[in-house]
Amino acid sequence: MKSNVVFYHAGCPVCVDAEQSLAAALDPSRFNVEVVHFGDQPQRVAEADKLGVKSVPALVVDGQVFHINFGAALSDLR
């Protein structure tokens, strides 16, 4: 069974680098990866907040949040 992964980001250089390096490196046979760019999907900020995301870029694997570096606080994106 594949793990569900959501990669949340805001499009900043830190976020884009993490997407290109980390999210793209996940094995597609093991992970269903969804990339959420808040510039394109601002309505999903509330979803990320509910999951416990505090800053982006962040990777959520089966409901567990992993904060990667620091691009922007989630509160700055509201």
Side-chain angles (χ1 to χ4, degrees), residues 5-9 14-15 18 22 38 45 47-61 63-75 77-78:
V5 175
V6 182
F7 179 78
Y8 293 104
H9 75 92
V14 170
C15 294
L22 182 62
F38 291 132
V45 171
E47 166 192 313
D49 185 41
K50 186 176 179 180
L51 289 170
V53 173
K54 301 295 181 205
S55 64
V56 291
L59 197 65
V60 179
V61 181
Q64 185 173 2
V65 179
F66 296 92
H67 293 96
I68 306 162
N69 208 331
F70 183 83
L74 198 64
S75 60
L77 303 174
R78 293 190 185 109

Side-chain angles (χ1 to χ4, degrees), residues 8-62:
Y8 293 104
H9 75 92
C12 66
V14 170
C15 294
V16 172
D17 285 346
E19 178 184 0
Q20 292 172 351
S21 299
L22 182 62
L26 294 174
D27 182 351
S29 69
R30 295 184 53 211
F31 301 98
N32 292 316
V33 179
E34 177 185 13
V35 176
V36 175
H37 183 304
F38 291 132
D40 297 333
Q41 299 175 52
Q43 72 280 6
R44 298 204 49 194
V45 171
E47 166 192 313
D49 185 41
K50 186 176 179 180
L51 289 170
V53 173
K54 301 295 181 205
S55 64
V56 291
L59 197 65
V60 179
V61 181
D62 291 332

